[in-house]
Amino acid sequence: MPTPILVVDDSVMARKMLIKALPSSWDVEITQAGNGIEALAAYRAGKAEVMFLDLTMPELDGYGVLETLQREGLNSFVVVVSADIQPMARERVRQLGAIAFVKKPVNAEQIEAILREYGISL
Amino acid sequence: MIDHLLLTPDQRDALQEVTNIAMGQAGSQLAQILESFVQLSVPRINITESAAISTGIAQLVGTPQSITAVRQAFNGTLRGEAMVMYDQDGCRDLADLMGYEDDLDGAADRELLLDVSNVLVGACLNGIAELLQAKLSFSAPTIMAENVEVGRLINPQQLTWNYALLVEVHFTLEVRDFTCHLLTLMPEESILTLKSALDTFMENF
């Protein structure tokens, strides 16, 4: 069965870049969300076994999504994908339960390495 | 009449994302300088007519009582002006964060604003240029205005273009009420170059 994955970014372009960087062998069902509110709705609908999450977004940002998931008992692999390369941003999202941090623009090898590290079958 | 200058929704989205990526680099450098966490904004984009430049700027940066602005011109594949704007508290906060004494004289204060602006403009615009495979060179930063209203920052009658693209990002510090805006202005011929550079960039995805 394909793995439900959720790609969250306010930019269509950024979502396309991320989707293109996913391993081609990975059997996935992709859902997209344009902000944190949409992301949480998709998550609650079971669309996010793995979530790729941007930080800077209108409505509800990535930190807000992580906080909500943590409050509700996080059971999704969240990979934060952000242009914010401050060490403190990295630290914060880890504390909020994200498994990894990927810097934009994304790179396919890096994403594959993270997924393999977490034992996600590709 | 300006239809050919307007960005398509895809171009706008791509410019926003490219700016966002570049802004991350600028924000990280600012965080290092100030030893403080910097919050990034969602980039805002607008096209303005020269006569309406003041309104255009006010829509993007708001209307603080008075601002001090540093400008830097850029040339190359794209041509335009980058302006970094600080409100009055922003200037004081910056000096304070850098550990300057209260009795800071004007010259040291200005030098600090110029240095910080130079870092933000360089990181942000070079980041955009790199992603779009453009080449830019920059003039030295200069103080454009001190403690003026946003509406008085630019005199529309001195402008040599009819339409310009404005891109605004701002950096906010969590620890105190500090915000500075980076506004990039590109006149019409650069808008066309930018549009085609964005199209080329998007073809990769």
Side-chain angles (χ1 to χ4, degrees):
Chain A
M1 229 177 63
T3 308
I5 70 159
L6 179 65
V7 179
V8 191
D9 202 303
D10 54 325
S11 161
V12 180
M13 171 86 220
R15 300 203 297 265
K16 277 191 194 159
M17 289 167 84
L18 189 278
I19 290 166
K20 206 190 167 198
L22 295 175
S24 52
S25 60
W26 197 16
D27 184 17
V28 289
E29 185 191 299
I30 301 170
T31 305
Q32 301 189 31
N35 61 49
I37 310 267
E38 284 177 28
L40 288 172
Y43 169 76
R44 292 191 179 110
K47 305 281 189 198
E49 204 172 302
V50 179
M51 188 190 301
F52 295 93
L53 179 69
D54 180 29
L55 288 180
T56 314
M57 289 185 292
E59 309 295 336
L60 181 67
D61 67 11
Y63 294 107
V65 172
L66 288 168
E67 278 160 16
T68 309
L69 292 177
Q70 201 171 49
R71 237 186 357 254
E72 296 186 3
L74 173 83
N75 53 7
S76 167
F77 281 108
V78 181
V79 176
V80 167
V81 183
S82 175
D84 191 338
I85 50 173
Q86 298 174 75
M88 210 190 284
R90 222 168 254 258
E91 208 174 292
R92 273 184 196 194
V93 300
R94 290 273 196 178
Q95 277 170 8
L96 287 169
I99 61 164
F101 188 103
V102 180
K103 161 184 144 185
K104 285 180 176 181
V106 291
N107 141 327
E109 289 77 38
Q110 202 187 353
I111 292 199
E112 182 166 341
I114 288 165
L115 296 172
R116 288 197 188 282
E117 192 187 332
Y118 279 85
I120 292 164
S121 59
L122 303 175
Chain B
M1 108 199 97
I2 62 157
D3 283 1
H4 66 293
L5 295 176
L6 295 176
L7 269 59
T8 65
D10 281 353
Q11 287 168 343
R12 176 179 279 262
D13 179 78
L15 178 59
Q16 225 169 0
E17 182 57 14
V18 164
T19 307
N20 173 249
I21 294 173
M23 183 194 188
Q25 294 160 11
S28 159
Q29 296 199 17
L30 183 63
Q32 276 173 30
I33 296 171
L34 302 179
E35 295 176 358
S36 185
F37 186 67
V38 175
Q39 284 172 322
L40 310 176
S41 70
V42 176
R44 288 188 287 186
I45 298 164
N46 218 340
I47 284 190
T48 183
E49 207 173 343
S50 57
I53 182 70
S54 298
T55 321
I57 293 178
Q59 274 169 359
L60 294 175
V61 309
T63 47
Q65 281 200 321
S66 72
I67 53 164
T68 292
V70 174
R71 74 170 275 269
Q72 256 179 299
F74 55 91
N75 259 297
T77 320
L78 299 166
R79 188 176 72 81
E81 301 263 342
M83 292 167 272
V84 183
M85 302 175 193
Y86 309 83
D87 64 17
Q88 222 157 13
D89 293 340
C91 297
R92 206 176 309 125
D93 276 345
L94 200 57
D96 200 22
L97 280 160
M98 298 293 286
Y100 284 45
E101 297 300 322
D102 288 344
D103 57 351
L104 187 67
D105 64 54
D109 207 352
R110 283 187 201 105
E111 199 179 305
L112 177 61
L113 289 181
L114 293 173
D115 286 346
V116 170
S117 305
N118 195 30
V119 167
L120 291 178
V121 170
C124 207
L125 288 178
N126 279 325
I128 293 173
E130 201 180 309
L131 287 163
L132 297 181
Q133 294 178 326
K135 283 215 159 38
L136 299 180
S137 59
F138 300 89
S139 71
T142 53
I143 302 267
M144 182 180 179
E146 282 181 283
N147 300 318
V148 299
E149 289 167 43
V150 171
R152 290 171 170 270
L153 189 61
I154 296 179
N155 176 359
Q157 278 158 2
Q158 290 173 354
L159 298 175
T160 53
W161 45 265
N162 296 315
Y163 293 95
L165 177 76
L166 299 173
V167 181
E168 185 268 356
V169 295
H170 54 270
F171 303 89
T172 310
L173 291 193
E174 212 166 38
V175 288
R176 53 174 81 205
D177 196 18
F178 168 88
T179 298
C180 70
H181 298 266
L182 167 55
L183 187 72
T184 307
L185 181 155
M186 276 176 269
E188 45 270 89
E189 78 273 14
S190 282
I191 302 177
L192 297 175
T193 312
L194 178 69
K195 279 163 67 79
S196 85
L198 289 167
D199 287 341
T200 308
F201 179 69
M202 285 188 285
E203 276 166 21
N204 299 320
F205 303 101

